[in-house]
């Protein structure tokens, strides 16, 4: 179910094979929202991920699960690799913020 901003959904609705203990009260960005983001940013440099995903930790969690659970129809190989690259960028950003 989409949240008020149209991008957050319960991860239990996304991935039915995750156990209930893992999904208790967690929110994730939907695979569709991540895929739309990848489509919109294809070929662009200097993408500001925070514009579409203000919670970077939530983005990392959502992307991590999407990489493991999404089908090839949901995330084809080029999108999969681009998402991994975005995840590296976000991790680097979060790591730099914790150092300061």
């Amino acid at each position: 179910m989409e949240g008020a901003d149209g991008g957050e959904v319960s991860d239990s609705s996304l991935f039915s094979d995750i156990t209930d203990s893992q999904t208790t009260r967690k929110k994730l960005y939907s695979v569709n929202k991540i895929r739309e983001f990848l489509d919109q940013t294809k070929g662009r440099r200097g993408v500001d991920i925070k514009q579409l995903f203000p919670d970077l930790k939530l983005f990392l969690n959502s992307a991590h699960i999407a990489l493991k659970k999404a089908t090839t129809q949901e995330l084809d190989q080029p999108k999969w690799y681009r998402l991994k690259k975005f995840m590296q960028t976000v991790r680097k950003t979060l790591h730099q913020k914790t150092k300061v």
Side-chain angles (χ1 to χ4, degrees):
M1 175 178 276
E2 290 193 9
D5 67 349
E8 293 184 25
V9 294
S10 160
D11 58 353
S12 61
S13 67
L14 283 176
F15 309 109
S16 59
D17 60 341
I18 299 174
T19 64
D20 288 336
S21 64
Q22 292 173 313
T23 61
T24 306
R25 298 185 188 256
K26 286 187 182 179
K27 297 273 187 183
L28 295 174
Y29 292 113
S30 69
V31 173
N32 288 335
K33 182 162 176 104
I34 292 172
R35 186 176 59 226
E36 287 173 17
F37 167 74
L38 293 170
D39 288 338
Q40 291 171 359
T41 59
K42 185 176 182 181
R44 291 178 44 199
R45 291 180 177 234
V47 174
D48 185 12
I49 298 170
K50 281 189 123 180
Q51 284 184 333
L52 280 153
F53 302 104
D55 186 343
L56 293 179
K57 288 182 182 181
L58 181 63
F59 171 76
L60 279 178
N61 290 337
S62 301
H64 179 76
I65 291 175
L67 289 175
K68 287 187 170 196
K69 303 293 181 178
T71 65
T72 54
Q73 290 178 342
E74 292 170 323
L75 287 178
D76 59 15
Q77 192 171 9
K79 287 179 186 171
W80 192 89
Y81 283 111
R82 288 182 44 238
L83 183 55
K84 291 271 294 183
K85 184 68 174 172
F86 279 121
M87 289 173 68
Q88 289 174 344
T89 302
V90 169
R91 281 189 195 108
K92 183 178 177 182
T93 301
L94 290 175
H95 183 68
Q96 288 174 348
K97 285 183 179 181
T98 58
K99 279 187 166 183
V100 174

